[in-house]
Amino acid sequence: MIDANAPKPIYEQIKEYILLQIQSGEYAQGDRIPSERALSETLHVNRQTVKKALDELIHTGHLSVQIGKGTYVSQRKFDMQLETLTSFTEEMMQRGQRASSRVLSQGISLATLAESHLLQMPTGASIVNIVRLRLADDMPMAIEHTQLVEAYCPGLLNGHDFSAESLYDVLLRQYAIRLVRAEQTIGARRATAEESSLLDVLPEDPILAITRITYGERGQRVEFTRSAYAGTRYLLQAVLKSARA
Ligand code: 16G
């Protein structure tokens, strides 16, 4: 089960073992998992290493501690707003959590034919690209590749720190762009190796692949974002009205 000679650190192997138990339902949501001591005996590893693995899974929200009782499989899932146009920062604020980002890359590029169709601009026009890992209370939630029409927000990348600032906020405050509507698609697939490492999920874990085209008040397309959300941390809920009413 745990291979001390494998290149992967032992605590990572323990994490994977526990995540697999959760995935397979062996450890069900809300269940107490075996104690550190029991795990160290079952897996023939030292207790400190088990503790390190558990601490990380607590940090990523897979497990939670009930003081004096033990460690439990988390039930907490994030609701995704499906009826209102909100930013990641706003969604986290509504949940009482702190949004932050790690900027993975940013820069200007020239629109390819496909991008020019998506953003309704001429081929070769300037596009602002921002790739961010989005975190909620330091837990990685999503990777977002955002593209914006530079003509609407010239100089966006100068003087802003998108590891701390909200993009929608900056668009409104500095460029008076009020985002009024978005078209969104949601699909499912498996995490790539890069995504699983950035989002701290297993390679086989589900990803919610989301695209969003966001419109300004004049009907102009301002933003196109492709996101990879950690599927295991989300619950999609919507209020449905009868089609016959
Ligand atoms: C949301 C949007 C994303 C937008 C971002 C702005 C989805 C699927 N995506 O995450 O398109 O760029 O918010 O967030 O909801 P910010 O204002 O916090 O930077």
Side-chain angles (χ1 to χ4, degrees), residues 42-61:
T42 314
L43 301 173
H44 307 291
V45 289
N46 112 14
R47 206 167 144 176
Q48 272 314 103
T49 318
V50 172
K51 183 172 178 349
K52 180 166 181 186
L54 295 185
D55 283 348
E56 288 217 5
L57 291 172
I58 291 164
H59 180 71
T60 53

Side-chain angles (χ1 to χ4, degrees), residues 91-139:
E91 273 194 36
M92 293 309 126
M93 258 165 53
Q94 284 165 11
R95 294 180 49 90
Q97 294 194 289
R98 190 178 55 85
S100 64
S101 308
R102 215 170 95 203
V103 177
L104 302 175
S105 68
Q106 59 176 38
I108 304 286
S109 64
L110 303 181
T112 62
L113 187 60
E115 289 164 347
S116 71
H117 282 309
L118 268 173
L119 285 167
Q120 292 178 337
M121 62 200 289
T123 312
S126 291
I127 292 189
V128 181
N129 296 274
I130 309 173
V131 183
R132 291 179 292 176
L133 176 67
R134 312 299 313 259
L135 305 113
D137 282 349
D138 298 329
M139 186 201 302

Side-chain angles (χ1 to χ4, degrees), residues 86-89 132 134 144 146 165-168 184 210 212 223 225 227 229:
T86 48
S87 69
F88 185 84
T89 305
R132 291 179 292 176
R134 312 299 313 259
E144 294 185 335
T146 300
E165 288 181 82
S166 153
L167 172 67
Y168 283 7
Q184 193 159 292
I210 305 185
R212 184 186 279 194
E223 167 204 37
T225 293
S227 320
Y229 276 72

Side-chain angles (χ1 to χ4, degrees), residues 142-205:
I143 303 162
E144 294 185 335
H145 294 237
T146 300
Q147 300 195 299
L148 300 126
V149 178
E150 215 242 343
Y152 299 145
C153 48
L156 179 72
L157 296 179
N158 307 327
H160 290 290
D161 172 9
F162 286 111
S163 64
E165 288 181 82
S166 153
L167 172 67
Y168 283 7
D169 235 41
V170 171
L171 290 176
L172 181 65
R173 280 186 293 107
Q174 185 174 341
Y175 299 97
I177 297 176
R178 192 179 301 279
L179 298 169
V180 293
R181 192 169 78 83
E183 286 158 5
Q184 193 159 292
T185 66
I186 304 176
R189 57 173 173 79
R190 284 180 183 172
T192 64
E194 194 196 3
E195 287 165 349
S196 77
S197 121
L198 284 168
L199 294 170
D200 207 0
V201 295
L202 287 174
E204 300 289 287
D205 267 2

Side-chain angles (χ1 to χ4, degrees), residues 29 65 81 122 143 177 212 224 238:
Q29 280 190 21
V65 179
Q81 295 279 353
I143 303 162
I177 297 176
R212 184 186 279 194
F224 173 66

